[in-house]
Amino acid sequence: MDWAVILVLHVMFQPSLSVLFTVEAERTMYESKFGEDVVMGCRFQPKLSNHQAALQVMWQWFTSTLIREVYHLDDWKQNVATQDPDYLGRVVLLTEELHKGWAKLKISRLRINDSGTYQCLVQTGEGADYKTTTLSVVAPYKSVTKHIEKAAGGDDMLLTCLSEGYPESPVMWQNGQHQTLSSNTTSVTTPEQLVQVTSRIRVRSSAKDSYKCIFTKDGSSATFQIPDEIPVPQKRNDALIVVLSIGVIIVALIIAMLFYRRQKGFRFHCTRNLSVDGQGKSDSVAACIAKNKDNEEEITIFNEGCMEENLGAFLKNHYSNFSLSTEMTHHCEAFAVEELPHRLQNNEGKSVSLQALLPKAGEVVFLEGSPGSGKTTVAHILVSSWTEGPTHALSKRVNLSTVRFLFTIDCNRVKGDFFQEIKMQLSLLEKTEDELRTLLTSEALLVLDGYREGNHFFDESLRKFVMEREGCRVLVMSCPRHCPILNDTVVTGRTLQIQNKV
Ligand SMILES: *[C@@H]1O[C@H](CO)[C@@H](O)[C@H](O)[C@H]1NC(C)=O
Ligand SMILES: *[C@@H]1O[C@H](CO)[C@@H](O)[C@H](O)[C@H]1NC(C)=O
């Protein structure tokens, strides 16, 4: 900083020296997206005379009241001591460009508050100069989450659209005739300084119409068809019960039939393998081919079986993309071996093994611990242990071989409802809610990391899922008393605690 001030004075009061040496900004402004990277450049002349030439480069961000040192290269070494912590680990100077006369700064994982004016100062043996440029970081409103609920008092419905981006976007609503409707739009700022915009309208549930919300800044939208999309009301009448019962019987018959055919599909697959292995049995091969034609439907069903197999592999692959550094892995393993056995307790205060974390089929386990007690580390251990299987260092302590699919949700960033979050967080966008339901069975383990009630859509849909689910194992990790409603919903849950480190 001091160096910068001196340099500025030096540039101002010694024009004779700086006449020879100039710095030019590559552009007067840059626009980039939240979470992405940007490279901003300043060109200086004359170029460096040799590889050891004296050189100082300083990039600073400033407003009228605040200066942050972004990057300081002092005699070819980065000076991290004075770097602003906001930029720590996110900026590099492209040193290979220096000899071409460019001081190029790359900022990664852009934040909203990286926006503003930047100044690049360069000093070589020939002189010193500086220029400014501005950076504007924006976040497009990409996906819109929609929600329908019954309005309190009356037959109206409340339609809600939610999205986040930066800067704030107005929301426009239109009906099927493209007439603009008035709405109630509110916004809050997230910890990442994105603006979360929620917009609601109240509509008559009896009138057939479509409604569209448009986040006008980026044009993203969602459409509701009323009354088609109105959820089936809780209060059932007799006619509905009859219709539903018939529906249930038909569905049961279809499932039974599919199951029977699928069994056949598997058997058929085995037969084909056998016939290929047992060379020369042309009869059975021919028979298979004939059967193949007859039973295309069976093959599709068999393929669906395969897709479920693939889903396990898909999820494992997904998790391995987020695998931890070696250092973190060691930390997790040490934590699991040295600390957890003492700190993991049941509700009677008795120590329990790591295996107790795996809920039995149909069971809900609550793992409670105050912030920093290691819940997320436990989630990492479970995910990596499941992903790696028997080769994992902790596979003897926690055996997840009965778990065919592990679904984990980071509850700190939930915005939509339960199924939307599974789809978004696990990249299962093409799966429908019904498909997900059929996967969330006793062979599945659902891990909710850092759950805290407070997001209406998510809480309500999760509670419904937990009540209706069949067999799915659920592990809820939260701080004590952060999920009272879910706790009350689950009558026969088991609670474990991670004690704080003593
Ligand atoms: C808009 O919605 C908010 C939150 O739901 C509510 O507090 C406010 O009264 C509503 N405003 C209008 C004009 O309806
Ligand atoms: C910039 O935003 C980050 C979070 O995105 C925050 O941690 C940091 O304190 C902010 N810096 C300033 C100067 O506001």
Side-chain angles (χ1 to χ4, degrees):
M1 187 78 64
D2 289 342
W3 175 75
V5 174
I6 293 165
L7 182 56
V8 172
L9 293 175
H10 171 88
V11 172
M12 278 163 44
F13 294 112
Q14 294 204 356
S16 56
L17 191 60
S18 56
V19 160
L20 299 169
F21 186 83
T22 57
V23 169
E24 294 305 327
E26 179 191 37
R27 277 158 56 178
T28 53
M29 87 155 284
Y30 296 82
E31 185 176 297
S32 218
K33 291 198 185 117
F34 175 78
E36 297 187 354
D37 303 347
V38 69
V39 176
M40 299 189 289
C42 276
R43 176 193 277 282
F44 56 90
Q45 274 169 327
K47 290 183 196 162
L48 297 171
S49 51
N50 62 56
H51 278 256
Q52 286 87 43
L55 175 69
Q56 290 216 55
V57 176
M58 164 96 86
W59 278 89
Q60 290 180 313
W61 171 100
F62 67 91
T63 64
S64 52
T65 53
L66 200 61
I67 299 187
R68 292 189 287 185
E69 184 180 300
V70 182
Y71 191 96
H72 183 186
L73 186 81
D74 188 359
D75 216 6
W76 294 94
K77 283 191 292 290
Q78 188 191 353
N79 180 351
V80 280
T82 50
Q83 185 180 36
D84 191 283
D86 275 359
Y87 291 97
L88 199 70
R90 292 197 298 132
V91 290
V92 286
L93 193 70
L94 305 183
T95 41
E96 67 279 8
E97 300 282 334
L98 288 168
H99 291 287
K100 300 176 196 156
W102 280 102
K104 285 192 179 174
L105 179 80
K106 177 174 175 186
I107 310 180
S108 309
R109 301 188 297 283
L110 283 170
R111 300 172 178 174
I112 298 299
N113 64 9
D114 289 339
S115 299
T117 309
Y118 286 79
Q119 184 179 56
C120 60
L121 300 98
V122 183
Q123 182 178 33
T124 71
E126 312 280 338
D129 192 14
Y130 68 93
K131 282 290 174 320
T132 58
T133 182
T134 59
L135 170 66
S136 150
V137 180
V138 297
Y141 289 76
K142 281 186 284 200
S143 58
V144 178
T145 306
K146 62 176 190 174
H147 181 72
I148 302 189
E149 69 194 307
K150 208 163 154 40
D155 272 346
D156 292 355
M157 303 305 295
L158 279 181
L159 312 185
T160 308
C161 284
L162 181 132
S163 184
E164 62 181 37
Y166 187 88
E168 184 161 359
S169 170
V171 183
M172 185 170 87
W173 287 83
Q174 287 178 340
N175 63 10
Q177 292 77 50
H178 300 286
Q179 286 163 326
T180 306
L181 310 170
S182 71
S183 60
N184 181 353
T185 303
T186 54
S187 65
V188 289
T189 305
T190 69
E192 293 151 322
Q193 280 131 31
L194 297 175
V195 186
Q196 192 180 78
V197 180
T198 308
S199 185
R200 274 200 184 94
I201 58 169
R202 194 181 170 115
V203 302
R204 300 249 311 281
S205 53
S206 49
K208 187 172 163 61
D209 206 342
S210 71
Y211 300 92
K212 187 175 184 183
C213 65
I214 308 161
F215 286 73
T216 55
K217 184 178 153 287
D218 299 299
S220 45
S221 65
T223 307
F224 300 81
Q225 300 294 342
I226 300 295
D228 300 1
E229 290 183 34
I230 295 179
V232 180
Q234 298 285 319
K235 223 171 52 188
R236 299 168 240 164
N237 57 33
D238 288 351
L240 197 59
I241 290 180
V242 173
V243 171
L244 283 180
S245 314
I246 294 173
V248 166
I249 293 169
I250 292 175
V251 169
L253 282 174
I254 292 175
I255 290 176
M257 212 165 78
L258 288 182
F259 191 70
Y260 169 71
R261 293 191 143 203
R262 180 164 152 185
Q263 295 287 357
K264 263 171 78 183
F266 272 109
R267 238 179 281 132
F268 158 65
H269 176 73
C270 297
T271 322
R272 189 169 54 180
N273 272 350
L274 277 179
S275 53
V276 171
D277 290 343
Q279 297 153 2
K281 291 194 179 169
S282 52
D283 275 350
S284 55
V285 173
C288 265
I289 293 167
K291 211 170 173 186
N292 199 335
K293 278 194 191 133
D294 282 351
N295 296 319
E296 268 174 10
E297 212 179 331
E298 282 184 12
I299 292 162
T300 337
I301 293 161
F302 166 70
N303 280 342
E304 272 170 18
C306 280
M307 268 168 53
E308 287 189 9
E309 294 300 333
N310 290 345
L311 179 74
F314 176 86
L315 286 171
K316 288 185 179 176
N317 183 41
H318 175 84
Y319 294 132
S320 58
N321 288 340
F322 297 98
S323 61
L324 302 171
S325 64
T326 329
E327 194 183 320
M328 274 301 288
T329 310
H330 288 318
H331 165 75
C332 281
E333 286 167 7
F335 176 77
V337 174
E338 286 155 25
E339 292 196 43
L340 260 187
H342 310 293
R343 287 169 48 194
L344 191 63
Q345 301 183 347
N346 64 15
N347 56 2
E348 288 153 17
K350 294 215 183 74
S351 296
V352 292
S353 71
L354 213 54
Q355 189 66 28
L357 288 166
L358 177 66
K360 296 187 196 60
E363 194 184 29
V364 179
V365 172
F366 290 92
L367 176 65
E368 296 184 341
S370 37
S373 56
K375 298 186 296 295
T376 298
T377 311
V378 169
H380 281 310
I381 291 170
L382 293 177
V383 169
S384 62
S385 175
W386 179 72
T387 307
E388 287 175 33
T391 58
H392 190 265
L394 299 170
S395 64
K396 295 237 162 40
R397 287 174 191 261
V398 53
N399 176 352
L400 299 178
S401 58
T402 48
V403 176
R404 194 155 160 225
F405 308 123
L406 188 148
F407 296 89
T408 163
I409 298 188
D410 175 2
C411 298
N412 288 311
R413 55 193 179 102
V414 297
K415 292 183 211 96
D417 72 22
F418 169 66
F419 285 103
Q420 281 165 336
E421 284 302 328
I422 290 201
K423 287 195 240 177
M424 307 252 284
Q425 294 201 14
L426 300 174
S427 317
L428 294 171
L429 293 171
E430 72 287 1
K431 288 255 178 284
T432 65
E433 189 172 317
D434 287 337
E435 285 173 329
L436 287 176
R437 265 183 218 283
T438 61
L439 297 170
L440 286 157
T441 62
S442 59
E443 294 182 310
L445 169 61
L446 172 68
V447 177
L448 298 163
D449 184 19
Y451 181 47
R452 173 174 205 161
E453 284 167 5
N455 177 321
H456 178 72
F457 299 175
F458 186 81
D459 295 349
E460 204 30 51
S461 53
L462 173 66
R463 200 176 62 84
K464 253 185 104 199
F465 167 74
V466 167
M467 273 160 52
E468 294 167 0
R469 106 211 110 97
E470 285 168 47
C472 180
R473 302 154 190 257
V474 182
L475 175 61
V476 184
M477 305 192 179
S478 71
C479 293
R481 292 176 301 283
H482 273 186
C483 43
I485 302 175
L486 188 65
N487 249 312
D488 285 349
T489 306
V490 179
V491 197
T492 55
R494 189 152 57 87
T495 304
L496 301 175
Q497 271 123 19
I498 307 191
Q499 297 299 327
N500 273 347
K501 201 170 173 173
V502 278

